[in-house]
Amino acid sequence: MKEVLPLAEGWSLSHSDNLLPAQVPGCVHTDLLAAGLIPDPFLGVNEPAVAWVGQRAWTYARDLPASDTAGEAHERTDLVFDGLDTAATITLDGRELGRTRNMHRRYRFDVTGQHGRLEVDFTSAYDEATSVRALTGERPNVYPEPFQYIRKMASSFGWDWGPTLVTAGIWRPARLERWSTARLADVRPLVTVHDGTGRVEIRIEIERTAQGTARPLTVRATVGDGLAEARGMVEGTHAVLTMEVPDAALWWPRGYGDQPLYDLELELTEEAAGPDAEERPLDSWHRRIGFRTVELDRSADEHGTGFTLVVNGERIFARGVNWIPDDVFPSRITPDRYRTRLRQTADAGVDLVRIWGGGIYEDDAFYDACDELGLMVWQDFLFACAAYPEEQPLRGEVEAEARDNVVRLMPHPSLVLWNGNNENLWGFRDWDWEPELRGDSWGGGYYLDLFPRIVAELDPTRPYTAGSPWSGSWDHHPNDPAHGTHHSWEVWNRRDYAEYRDSVPRFVSEFGWQAPPAMATLRRALPGERLAPDSPGMLHHQKAEDGNGKLNRGVERHFVLPEGDFDRWHYLTQVVQARAIATGIEHWRSHWPVCAGTIVWQINDCWPVSSWAAIDGDGRLKPLYHELRRVYADRLLTLQPGEGDDGLPVLAAVNQSAEPWQAHIRLRRLRADGTEMAEHVIDVTVAARAVHRRTVPQDLAPAQGSAKEFLVADSADLRSVHLPVTDREFAYPVPHYDVAVESPTGAGTGNVEVVVTAHTLVRDLLLQADRLGPDAVCDTGLRTLLPGEQLRLRVTGATDTGANAVRAALFCVEPA
């Protein structure tokens, strides 16, 4: 049977003629940090001080004893790397085993009988990119870094939310595999469902040793605990097994059903030589699979060209988020960290995660968690925001990378879509690339030819789309909101968030709004700094072009920009971020099925930074996270201004649950002081997976331009508030509320309930729990209270629960 020897121990890293202990998996930066040789680049303005790390070559080394590779018990010993970052030469006892130039591939070298000093010499990623650029010629790029010339995580070269920390190292596990006769080289399970019967067709590639070339081999597969079994002979180096599972339980996205997973086991054996001899096991393979169908409906209709995911025949409005690498040093991301972040994502009401094309193909632990949580995965091929050469040596690497990762990831039922790139089709048409290229290759051949062919060949059970955004063909602009996927960035860059309501795209696969991280995250990341929007550390941890200018303009359109009050500025930028995203999602969800999904940019961060994330770089939840939980809930109540008859507001009740919603809705027109001017109660039945829209009656609509009236819609615990003017124009009363702190679990536990009783209108009340302790968490985000209403906030992990501290951690909108 195949034997695996992990190679995690005994590595060293060369540094200035010294050898440092090296961790594998790991990277140069984390080893240097552990040795105290570089400052933490996440803190203060340290990042530029470690730029030299990415500019030089590095060597990892360890001894490989003869006993590990000798062929006495096994015919063959392979040295296997699951990930090398990036351009490396591998030698053993001075003999070259091979060279690599792709972070996103797995590598295997025959080292049978060899031993001695194993060295992995990494060339600087900058030097590798420079040499490739000399071969292919220049290509346009959104950022002044050469990431399109090397198959490496593009965002390690910096992005508008990430630091420039160009890594090198053995970033995924290394091991020796010792085997005889034959091994399972590739296993591709094609999992489908027809009329309730699950079907698994397993396509198997075998590698044989020289001695095993003609030996008779058998493969045996099972699904579940005896649910299905198949057995067959290996013809040469190929085999195909097919199994059927009657009445297979379907895997569903979260909110649509359960996520049953079945163990798929495969065993390779050598046939017995004599009548009484037993078969000899050679290799085995195991994954969990799920039975489901997935289609992408891109039909043309009166609105343009659709883009709707259909799972098990159910049309889905995708409640999505974009995912970036959760750490700029990906080797630090553990399975537990993946599970925590993805559990947070699912708890926010999300049912789809898009893995963005400037990052990595994530670890199997990521997809395992998505399988279990019911999170659909949209997987980009790793191309983003640049023109990519299609000549060698890149083209061969791109094809090998695509094939490797399609085969590795295809067993996961959560994976529902392959996507060719991020923004490159759009860039070719709109960002002046076409005239600059003058006919040179730019990646179009990958997205429109190579990748769809690979997916059709290797994984025909899933749809493919050429890019995000992409209208489906060159007949329409790549980012046309009426056709296919759309990225909405003009609003953040230049406009007011209310302008999200100006269109109804078919599928919004990127849009977002920035805010700073939590206060405790800022204090940890910027130690000793007097915080201000333009303080040195704050500016360094703001990577977006004119990021603070856009933040300030976003605030100024709705509030008076606070001068010299960082706490107030921090609160208002958080409010605007949450409101902006809610404005877009509420509008677009209310237009289902014309709009079939939104994917917020972004759920997570890779370091502490002002960004579009809902969960900051230290893992703390921003108010946007709680707002996502509200606007992505199965049931949503929203008031949409100006969409009804005569420009009146529209009340939309969105029901994405599987059952009809009997909604009892109370509509009230109120004065700013809380006095009720008009009321109307309606009962509506909203069908499952449907939207009910109706114009608000004339007598309930606040007078156009009024600064003293507003409209509230309530149904059970759902609330929507509509002001006819901006907050800075509205006649808010001075907020007045009482605060009481209760300790239901006993004093000193850090778990308290904060009871807020409003005596006036209290708009967007927020308890910033991390001000009560760095690990404190509040269960609630922004909430609006009317006079006489009471709100109970549950806080865990607080170190200061005094009434004064709690009141100081509470913020709300104040009159201009």
Side-chain angles (χ1 to χ4, degrees):
M1 190 68 171
K2 183 174 74 177
E3 184 179 5
V4 176
L5 280 70
L7 297 180
E9 306 295 332
W11 291 92
S12 63
L13 174 68
S14 64
H15 171 68
S16 301
D17 298 324
N18 296 315
L19 294 181
L20 308 175
Q23 182 174 338
V24 172
C27 74
V28 172
H29 288 82
T30 54
D31 290 332
L32 294 174
L33 277 169
L37 293 172
I38 59 172
D40 188 339
F42 286 13
L43 300 184
V45 294
N46 288 342
E47 176 199 342
V50 301
W52 62 271
V53 176
Q55 300 282 353
R56 56 158 289 179
W58 298 92
T59 297
Y60 283 78
R62 60 158 287 165
D63 290 326
L64 206 60
S67 58
D68 284 353
T69 62
E72 296 176 2
H74 298 84
E75 297 172 28
R76 172 88 168 262
T77 300
D78 288 344
L79 172 64
V80 180
F81 293 102
D82 286 338
L84 294 173
D85 176 16
T86 292
T89 301
I90 301 94
T91 60
L92 181 56
D93 195 29
R95 295 185 296 274
E96 183 175 313
L97 298 177
R99 301 190 179 205
T100 71
R101 60 196 330 155
N102 194 324
M103 178 181 183
H104 309 301
R105 288 180 59 189
R106 297 170 289 183
Y107 295 95
R108 178 179 294 268
F109 306 100
D110 183 352
V111 293
T112 307
Q114 301 181 49
H115 60 91
R117 192 69 170 167
L118 174 61
E119 293 189 346
V120 184
D121 296 304
F122 288 99
T123 301
S124 160
Y126 285 104
D127 290 345
E128 168 70 7
T130 298
S131 66
V132 171
R133 179 167 50 192
L135 295 173
T136 65
E138 293 280 350
R139 298 294 192 282
N141 185 342
V142 171
Y143 296 101
E145 294 282 339
F147 62 81
Q148 74 264 50
Y149 306 104
I150 181 170
R151 295 309 302 152
K152 175 178 173 58
M153 184 175 91
S155 57
S156 71
F157 289 91
W159 221 260
D160 55 5
W161 37 258
T164 302
L165 294 168
V166 180
T167 53
I170 305 172
W171 76 288
R172 279 183 168 159
R175 62 189 175 275
L176 293 176
E177 291 187 2
R178 305 194 296 200
W179 54 283
S180 299
T181 305
R183 71 175 187 91
L184 297 167
D186 274 333
V187 180
R188 293 192 294 115
L190 304 177
V191 183
T192 54
V193 185
H194 301 282
D195 298 327
T197 297
R199 187 174 189 272
V200 185
E201 180 182 299
I202 311 174
R203 297 185 173 271
I204 305 159
E205 299 291 328
I206 306 293
E207 183 180 9
R208 295 175 182 258
T209 63
Q211 296 93 324
T213 300
R215 292 182 184 175
L217 305 177
T218 301
V219 283
R220 175 179 173 270
T222 59
V223 174
D225 188 12
L227 291 176
E229 182 176 330
R231 181 184 177 95
M233 298 290 295
V234 177
E235 299 293 336
T237 59
H238 306 278
V240 178
L241 297 179
T242 302
M243 293 176 288
E244 291 191 346
V245 179
D247 301 318
L250 297 180
W251 184 96
W252 288 95
R254 65 170 301 281
Y256 288 82
D258 296 329
Q259 292 79 43
L261 299 171
Y262 294 81
D263 289 306
L264 175 59
E265 308 269 1
L266 188 66
E267 186 177 44
L268 174 67
T269 60
E270 182 180 4
E271 286 196 16
D276 298 324
E278 295 183 356
E279 292 181 333
R280 182 166 69 100
L282 301 175
D283 200 357
S284 63
W285 180 94
H286 167 260
R287 296 290 187 278
R288 291 185 304 172
I289 60 171
F291 293 100
R292 55 103 185 94
T293 63
V294 57
E295 302 167 272
L296 182 60
D297 185 353
R298 291 183 267 203
S299 302
D301 57 26
E302 67 272 24
H303 304 286
T305 308
F307 193 94
T308 305
L309 284 166
V310 184
V311 179
N312 299 329
E314 184 82 53
R315 301 176 68 82
I316 291 175
F317 181 98
R319 293 169 278 188
V321 291
N322 282 275
W323 174 279
I324 65 171
D326 205 52
D327 196 317
V328 75
F329 306 130
S331 59
R332 296 200 296 201
I333 309 172
T334 64
D336 284 346
R337 180 165 164 183
Y338 274 126
R339 191 165 296 275
T340 295
R341 197 71 71 242
L342 290 167
R343 167 50 66 188
Q344 291 171 320
T345 300
D347 287 346
V350 171
D351 59 23
L352 182 144
V353 179
R354 176 191 171 211
I355 300 177
W356 165 77
I360 59 175
Y361 303 99
E362 297 288 347
D363 187 82
D364 283 317
F366 176 97
Y367 304 92
D368 287 341
C370 290
D371 291 343
E372 296 167 15
L373 294 168
L375 291 170
M376 296 180 287
V377 176
W378 162 325
Q379 177 69 60
D380 280 15
F381 288 100
L382 300 184
F383 298 80
C385 301
Y388 286 79
E390 297 176 41
E391 292 77 27
Q392 298 292 8
L394 287 177
R395 184 177 180 86
E397 286 294 337
V398 166
E399 178 163 358
E401 167 193 320
R403 290 181 175 277
D404 192 355
N405 285 283
V406 169
V407 171
R408 178 172 73 91
L409 301 181
M410 62 184 291
H412 293 281
S414 56
L415 179 59
V416 298
L417 183 68
W418 293 103
N419 175 55
N421 74 90
N422 176 77
E423 298 190 342
N424 293 342
L425 295 159
W426 181 19
F428 177 73
R429 181 53 50 89
D430 248 14
W431 301 346
D432 297 324
W433 292 0
E434 195 168 3
E436 183 178 343
L437 286 163
R438 297 187 299 275
D440 285 345
S441 67
W442 55 276
Y446 297 147
Y447 322 133
L448 299 170
D449 178 37
L450 178 64
F451 294 158
R453 285 194 289 108
I454 289 174
V455 172
E457 174 194 343
L458 299 179
D459 187 19
T461 67
R462 287 179 180 86
Y464 169 86
T465 184
S468 182
W470 179 233
S471 60
S473 76
W474 292 115
D475 293 340
H476 306 286
H477 187 280
N479 200 29
D480 188 333
H483 300 276
T485 50
H486 176 66
H487 288 195
S488 178
W489 284 116
E490 282 299 296
V491 172
W492 155 253
N493 285 323
R494 296 173 181 84
R495 302 175 183 171
D496 179 27
Y497 65 71
E499 295 184 55
Y500 282 132
R501 301 190 185 105
D502 288 352
S503 67
V504 183
R506 305 312 302 268
F507 194 109
V508 187
S509 47
E510 273 191 26
F511 76 110
W513 202 277
Q514 269 202 357
M519 188 63 69
T521 299
L522 289 174
R523 288 172 177 158
R524 186 197 69 81
L526 306 176
E529 180 164 309
R530 184 179 179 275
L531 296 176
D534 58 353
S535 62
M538 285 295 296
L539 290 177
H540 185 74
H541 289 248
Q542 166 59 275
K543 296 295 186 178
E545 181 182 1
D546 190 30
N548 273 14
K550 293 170 185 176
L551 283 174
N552 290 340
R553 289 190 290 276
V555 170
E556 284 181 307
R557 293 184 182 106
H558 295 268
F559 304 96
V560 174
L561 189 67
E563 298 291 341
D565 187 345
F566 181 77
D567 287 349
R568 194 80 194 153
W569 178 86
H570 182 267
Y571 162 75
L572 288 176
T573 54
Q574 300 276 359
V575 169
V576 171
Q577 180 189 39
R579 284 206 200 165
I581 299 306
T583 297
I585 293 175
E586 289 185 23
H587 169 65
W588 294 321
R589 279 192 75 181
S590 75
H591 285 277
W592 161 259
V594 177
C595 181
T598 55
I599 308 182
V600 176
W601 187 270
Q602 62 214 62
I603 187 64
N604 62 329
D605 266 328
C606 65
W607 77 313
V609 64
S610 293
S611 83
W612 298 265
I615 304 172
D616 76 18
D618 281 8
R620 294 187 175 92
L621 309 180
K622 292 157 74 168
L624 171 59
Y625 175 87
H626 296 281
E627 198 67 357
L628 284 178
R629 196 168 61 182
R630 181 183 71 84
V631 296
Y632 271 166
D634 281 350
R635 292 173 177 174
L636 172 68
L637 196 66
T638 177
L639 292 163
Q640 293 297 306
E643 291 192 7
D645 300 333
D646 299 323
L648 296 172
V650 162
L651 172 69
V654 182
N655 179 24
Q656 208 161 342
S657 70
E659 303 296 330
W661 176 19
Q662 307 295 331
H664 182 76
I665 302 172
R666 184 185 183 194
L667 285 163
R668 286 176 287 172
R669 180 161 61 101
L670 303 173
R671 295 190 189 277
D673 63 5
T675 304
E676 185 175 296
M677 303 175 67
E679 178 184 18
H680 187 50
V681 176
I682 59 174
D683 291 298
V684 300
T685 299
V686 189
R689 322 290 191 198
V691 178
H692 175 89
R693 293 169 58 92
R694 66 166 61 187
T695 301
V696 170
Q698 178 76 54
D699 65 321
L700 286 172
Q704 188 173 5
S706 172
K708 298 181 179 180
E709 306 176 6
F710 64 105
L711 176 63
V712 177
D714 290 298
S715 180
D717 59 346
L718 305 180
R719 167 166 286 176
S720 183
V721 177
H722 165 58
L723 274 62
V725 295
T726 65
D727 293 82
R728 64 183 297 159
E729 300 169 297
F730 191 73
Y732 280 111
V734 175
H736 179 206
Y737 53 87
D738 294 331
V739 179
V741 181
E742 301 176 0
S743 300
T745 58
T749 64
N751 300 333
V752 298
E753 293 188 357
V754 178
V755 182
V756 179
T757 304
H759 300 291
T760 62
L761 171 64
V762 179
R763 178 75 160 139
D764 281 338
L765 180 74
L766 176 68
L767 175 61
Q768 292 190 358
D770 61 290
R771 292 173 179 266
L772 305 177
D775 297 323
V777 176
C778 181
D779 69 340
T780 305
L782 300 167
R783 295 287 293 273
T784 293
L785 303 179
L786 303 179
E789 292 184 336
Q790 192 174 84
L791 174 65
R792 187 172 291 269
L793 308 171
R794 293 171 177 82
V795 179
T796 59
T799 55
D800 189 346
T801 57
N804 290 337
V806 170
R807 181 172 279 278
L810 284 165
F811 295 81
C812 67
V813 173
E814 297 176 354

